[in-house]
Amino acid sequence: MNTIENLSRRHFLGGVLSTGAFVLVARVVPEELFAQTAAFHTKAESAALHTGVYLGIEPDGTVFIVTHRSEMGTGIRTTLPLVAADELDADWKRVKIEQAIGDPKYGDQNTDGSRSIRDFFDAFRQAGASARAMLVTAAAAQWKVPASECQTEPHEVVHRPSGRRLGYGALVSAASKLPVPKPGEVQFKPKSAWRYMGKDQPIYDLRDIVTGKAVFGMDTKLDGMVYASIEHPPVVGGKVRSFDDKAALAVPGVRRTATIDAFKPPLLFQSLGGVAVIADSTWAAMQGRKKLTVDWDLGANATYDSVAFRQQLLDTVRQPGKVVRNIGNVDAEFAKGGKVLEATYYTPLAAHASMEPPVAVADYRDGKVTCWTSTQNPQAAQDTISAALGIKKEDVTCHTVLLGGGFGRKSKPDFAAEAAVLSKKVGKPVKVVWSREDDIKFDFYHATAAIYHKAAVDGRGKPAAWLVRSAWPPIASTFEDGARYGLDFEHGMGLNDLPYEFANHRAENGPADAHVRIGWFRAVANNYHVFASGSFVDEMAHAAGRDTLEYLLDLVGPGKVLDLKGQFPVEYFNYGAPYDKYPFDTRRLRHVLELAGQLSNWGKRKPGGGWGIGLAAHRSFNTYVASVVEVEVDNTGRVRIPRVDQFVDAGMVINPERARSQFEGAAVMGAGLAMFGEISAAGGRIQQSNFNDFRVARMSDAPVQVNVHIVDSDAPPTGIGEPGTPPVIPALANAIFAATGKRIRELPLSKTKLV
């Protein structure tokens, strides 16, 4: 029998729910539900809080659903609550969504990895269905009729034989006293009865966003707040030797300066350190900062030069590396002679460049910190702030506001720690605002990479042996000082998970040092690995004189669930999902490729004369995607993208409108990265500073038309936010080859003269 406990409303979002509200807590693992009444009494102060999803119903019928994931444009703040509301049979107009603060009781709050729906769909569904079952039982008991004669309509229970109805609010008191049905006893609504899931739904905050009422990081204000702009060391690992702030202090509105200690290895999410200018406004702080004179000890990374490092990576992938997948014996097959194809690809560093640069407000008082910030991971903010100040994690309260974009950057809360450190120093709430230049110059960058492919091919151009080597400064360097090899999850993103059956295949990872901060970025290592593999497949097809789609379908074969046992030094990554529930099924990859042939312009026009069409396909975040890109290249070499088609099998799609938006955005972002995205360094200093020299896709660069074709599926839901980006990049490169005959092996495209 499940435990029934009272939950203090003080513990439940600081008293959002009134005394007497009915609250369900759904665990993710194991899937247990606890019915609780939000009562305010002393015993509840020490009651155990159960990790999971919170759903509450007020006596007036208002439904509160706590969303523990961060909203950055993906719609997750809307979509997960929709699942619970649908199973509850709630009237969406009577649902209020509350953003959870950073707290372990909500489970994993790190909103990245395209796994929010995948990991929490069942918990939200269980919460809604269980609450509905309890409300039905309560109504049946009041009417003294069998529960089987009762059903729900939006926000009420109906007894069909008598026509009696009771609203949810009227049943709250009785329902809260009932035992919670066990998971196997709960009846979920059939798909045909879904009111919200599987249908387009606008995001919950849409009206507030378009009318300017929504609160983002930059909108947060506290009484008595001061503003800070920080001069960071221009080279990672640099330290302040000395500084002169006389001119800065003379700027009207500037109050004082303060130093922030440089980080101590490993990097983690600590501040880079530097000198902060504290002022009455952001403008005054930034103007005062310009007047600072700082003498820096630049440290060991002052020798970093991205041009020389590029060559180092290219040399590395020509040498044997750490084996991360092995099938058969590629060396023996290569020794037989015959036709061998080789190609080496390169991608530079890239910045996240989310529309809203990092910003945080922190208030340090009596040994505790309250922080408001646009973070993807409020628990990481708690960890980082507590470490920076030497206080307990539970003494840090982190409120998550809306994010003006994230792409992975805002799960690294160094900027929140800076605000907390400065608040303690000045004794006031402090708002730290990064400029666009700060954002570009001091990012956790998307890694630069070199990837080498070599294949021995048969008479049909199919690989009898396939070797791939890749080297990139790994994300591991953020967590372990001096780490030079990728983590298992980086290997599993396009390097050791090629979706083909092999007789002989080996994937290797070469060493690379990190001279800048490296972090995860939308689609992570898939971007550079799939640029290489998707391009190499196209090269192999053309070398064999075969159509790329026909060749890809031949490589994939009829499709099946891949048996990957024994091919990896550790267990296959699979994006952290159980393989029995989310297997690698190449039938699904084949299907999106077949749809690409049917629904795009593939094969309907002969490339040439400046027009071309390209194709690539990949499985990432447990989602199968094929991308078809059309290009026009004029006589000056300018690339125009008239059309992109995205073919997506993401299992069960909860909110198609948001899914389409994510794949449309992925097409734009992927095209922008491929055409312009480059961060370079000289003397350890990043050379780009703003959108004038780190260009993102503008309206004139973006695809004119993006069509998103979503496969109707009853399979478990998978990732949406990231898997649309990787295949767009090689598809664009392949289209340019079709249009111009110029093969793209290095990004951005500006590195290759197209005419």
Side-chain angles (χ1 to χ4, degrees):
M1 180 179 289
N2 290 320
T3 303
I4 308 287
E5 298 181 39
N6 289 325
L7 178 65
S8 162
R9 62 189 174 99
R10 180 177 295 171
H11 279 113
F12 190 83
L13 292 174
V16 165
L17 292 177
S18 67
T19 298
F22 171 43
V23 184
L24 279 183
V25 184
R27 278 187 177 179
V28 181
V29 180
E31 290 182 345
E32 297 172 323
L33 286 168
F34 299 85
Q36 301 159 334
T37 302
F40 189 72
H41 57 81
T42 28
K43 284 187 179 179
E45 301 304 320
S46 59
L49 297 177
H50 300 285
T51 299
V53 171
Y54 288 71
L55 180 154
I57 308 175
E58 287 278 17
D60 69 358
T62 302
V63 173
F64 284 86
I65 301 174
V66 179
T67 180
H68 62 314
R69 313 300 272 180
S70 299
E71 180 56 69
M72 64 193 100
T74 64
I76 197 61
R77 178 174 155 88
T78 302
T79 304
L80 275 174
L82 275 171
V83 174
D86 207 337
E87 284 294 352
L88 177 60
D89 217 0
D91 179 350
W92 184 245
K93 294 178 182 177
R94 300 181 70 183
V95 173
K96 291 189 177 181
I97 296 174
E98 294 292 334
Q99 185 70 46
I101 63 170
D103 197 310
K105 73 184 180 186
Y106 297 113
D108 178 12
Q109 292 180 268
N110 188 16
T111 312
D112 66 7
S114 296
R115 54 194 169 86
S116 293
I117 294 291
R118 186 196 76 185
D119 288 357
F120 296 101
F121 173 76
D122 289 341
F124 275 80
R125 195 177 190 194
Q126 186 79 26
S130 296
R132 173 168 49 85
M134 295 168 74
L135 292 165
V136 167
T137 300
Q142 183 168 329
W143 291 326
K144 296 181 173 56
V145 300
S148 59
E149 292 183 359
C150 301
Q151 62 188 78
T152 58
E153 292 183 0
H155 242 76
E156 59 183 8
V157 180
V158 180
H159 182 238
R160 287 297 181 202
S162 66
R164 286 176 287 183
R165 296 171 179 265
L166 279 171
Y168 284 175
L171 295 166
V172 160
S173 179
S176 66
K177 297 178 176 66
L178 294 173
V180 182
K182 296 177 182 179
E185 298 172 346
V186 173
Q187 295 294 316
F188 294 121
K189 293 167 68 174
K191 191 174 181 180
S192 59
W194 287 355
R195 298 184 188 277
Y196 310 127
M197 293 188 287
K199 299 174 177 62
D200 290 351
Q201 296 290 337
I203 60 175
Y204 179 78
D205 306 279
L206 182 61
R207 179 174 292 277
D208 284 349
I209 289 171
V210 300
T211 58
K213 295 179 181 178
V215 177
F216 291 81
M218 277 298 296
D219 300 314
T220 305
K221 294 181 181 179
L222 298 181
D223 291 341
M225 182 175 74
V226 292
Y227 299 79
S229 182
I230 303 167
E231 185 74 3
H232 296 105
V235 176
V236 170
K239 300 177 182 179
V240 176
R241 282 201 187 102
S242 63
F243 69 97
D244 184 344
D245 62 0
K246 293 185 182 64
L249 293 172
V251 173
V254 171
R255 294 190 175 197
R256 59 169 290 183
T257 61
T259 58
I260 299 177
D261 293 338
F263 69 86
K264 297 177 181 179
L267 282 163
L268 303 176
F269 304 143
Q270 301 177 81
S271 171
L272 290 169
V275 182
V277 175
I278 314 296
D280 294 330
S281 67
T282 302
W283 174 256
M286 290 182 172
Q287 295 308 303
R289 177 180 157 194
K290 292 177 182 178
K291 301 293 185 180
L292 285 173
T293 301
V294 185
D295 180 26
W296 300 104
D297 175 359
L298 296 178
N301 289 319
T303 60
Y304 173 55
D305 180 273
S306 57
V307 175
F309 192 69
R310 169 186 175 276
Q311 189 58 52
Q312 182 180 327
L313 290 177
L314 294 172
D315 292 341
T316 297
V317 296
R318 286 289 179 169
Q319 305 298 322
K322 174 184 176 181
V323 176
V324 295
R325 186 181 184 185
N326 189 57
I327 305 167
N329 190 327
V330 295
D331 296 324
E333 191 64 32
F334 286 135
K336 293 178 182 179
K339 187 174 183 179
V340 173
L341 302 176
E342 297 177 273
T344 303
Y345 304 88
Y346 173 80
T347 62
L349 293 168
H352 294 81
S354 52
M355 188 54 64
E356 179 188 42
V359 58
V361 175
D363 187 9
Y364 177 91
R365 297 189 187 193
D366 302 322
K368 298 183 179 181
V369 173
T370 305
C371 177
W372 292 260
T373 186
S374 43
T375 178
Q376 293 175 240
N377 191 350
Q379 290 178 28
Q382 288 181 287
D383 289 333
T384 305
I385 290 170
S386 64
L389 295 181
I391 61 178
K392 296 177 182 178
K393 178 179 178 177
E394 52 265 34
D395 287 335
V396 180
T397 301
C398 182
H399 296 275
T400 302
V401 296
L402 295 174
L403 286 66
F407 309 122
R409 169 61 179 98
K410 292 176 184 171
S411 54
K412 309 163 185 69
D414 52 328
F415 48 95
E418 291 175 337
V421 168
L422 292 173
S423 179
K424 183 178 180 181
K425 283 179 177 280
V426 304
K428 293 177 178 290
V430 174
K431 185 173 191 175
V432 166
V433 179
W434 283 37
S435 67
R436 176 63 62 199
E437 289 78 9
D438 294 330
D439 181 40
I440 298 294
K441 286 186 174 295
F442 305 111
D443 199 3
F444 286 81
Y445 297 101
H446 187 35
T448 178
I451 307 99
Y452 168 69
H453 281 267
K454 178 181 179 181
V457 297
D458 62 18
R460 291 271 296 158
K462 293 186 68 175
W466 193 337
L467 170 68
V468 54
R469 291 195 192 110
S470 182
W472 68 94
I475 290 170
S477 63
T478 297
F479 303 97
E480 180 186 346
D481 192 36
R484 308 182 73 217
Y485 289 91
L487 295 165
D488 294 335
F489 79 84
E490 292 172 278
H491 301 151
M493 293 181 166
L495 174 59
N496 68 3
D497 62 343
L498 291 179
Y500 316 116
E501 287 213 71
F502 298 102
N504 303 284
H505 172 60
R506 189 165 72 236
E508 300 176 2
N509 176 202
D513 294 310
H515 300 285
V516 296
R517 299 195 294 182
I518 300 295
W520 45 95
F521 177 103
R522 187 179 194 176
V524 204
N526 285 293
N527 289 329
Y528 37 85
H529 288 143
V530 177
F531 163 58
S533 62
S535 298
F536 192 61
V537 165
D538 194 68
E539 292 201 40
M540 289 193 292
H542 280 274
R546 298 175 65 181
D547 174 80
T548 301
L549 174 59
E550 181 267 330
Y551 181 81
L552 260 172
L553 290 170
D554 194 15
L555 284 182
V556 172
K560 66 177 185 179
V561 172
L562 297 181
D563 182 359
L564 301 175
K565 294 178 181 177
Q567 299 178 14
F568 307 91
V570 294
E571 186 178 355
Y572 173 59
F573 163 56
N574 203 35
Y575 296 88
Y579 199 77
D580 57 346
K581 188 174 181 180
Y582 294 93
F584 199 143
D585 189 342
T586 55
R587 290 170 296 190
R588 296 173 72 176
L589 188 67
R590 182 180 183 89
H591 183 52
V592 293
L593 281 166
E594 290 171 338
L595 288 176
Q598 297 164 16
L599 301 177
S600 74
N601 282 329
W602 190 268
K604 297 178 175 64
R605 176 180 172 185
K606 185 176 181 180
W611 180 88
I613 190 167
L615 167 71
H618 183 56
R619 174 193 186 259
S620 65
F621 306 92
N622 311 113
T623 295
Y624 304 81
V625 181
S627 300
V628 179
V629 177
E630 297 181 38
V631 300
E632 296 171 351
V633 183
D634 67 19
N635 56 13
T636 69
R638 186 183 183 281
V639 176
R640 180 177 180 269
I641 306 174
R643 176 171 168 172
V644 173
D645 286 274
Q646 299 267 59
F647 300 89
V648 182
D649 182 350
M652 192 185 306
V653 174
I654 307 305
N655 191 343
E657 189 275 335
R658 285 290 88 198
R660 289 193 300 272
S661 294
Q662 286 301 296
F663 280 90
E664 289 165 354
V668 175
M669 189 172 187
L673 280 173
M675 291 191 287
F676 312 116
E678 180 181 27
I679 292 291
S680 59
R685 298 171 186 253
I686 300 302
Q687 296 179 297
Q688 289 72 29
S689 63
N690 210 314
F691 291 137
N692 63 311
D693 47 16
F694 181 73
R695 185 172 170 181
V696 297
R698 301 170 184 170
M699 289 293 288
S700 57
D701 308 310
V704 175
Q705 177 183 354
V706 180
N707 305 311
V708 181
H709 311 265
I710 299 174
V711 173
D712 185 26
S713 174
D714 292 324
T718 58
I720 290 292
E722 296 170 90
T725 303
V728 167
I729 299 172
L732 174 59
N734 296 338
I736 288 173
F737 174 78
T740 67
K742 300 291 181 68
R743 183 60 71 180
I744 307 296
R745 292 181 176 170
E746 179 173 351
L747 298 180
L749 299 178
S750 56
K751 298 294 182 181
T752 302
K753 188 174 182 180
L754 299 182
V755 293

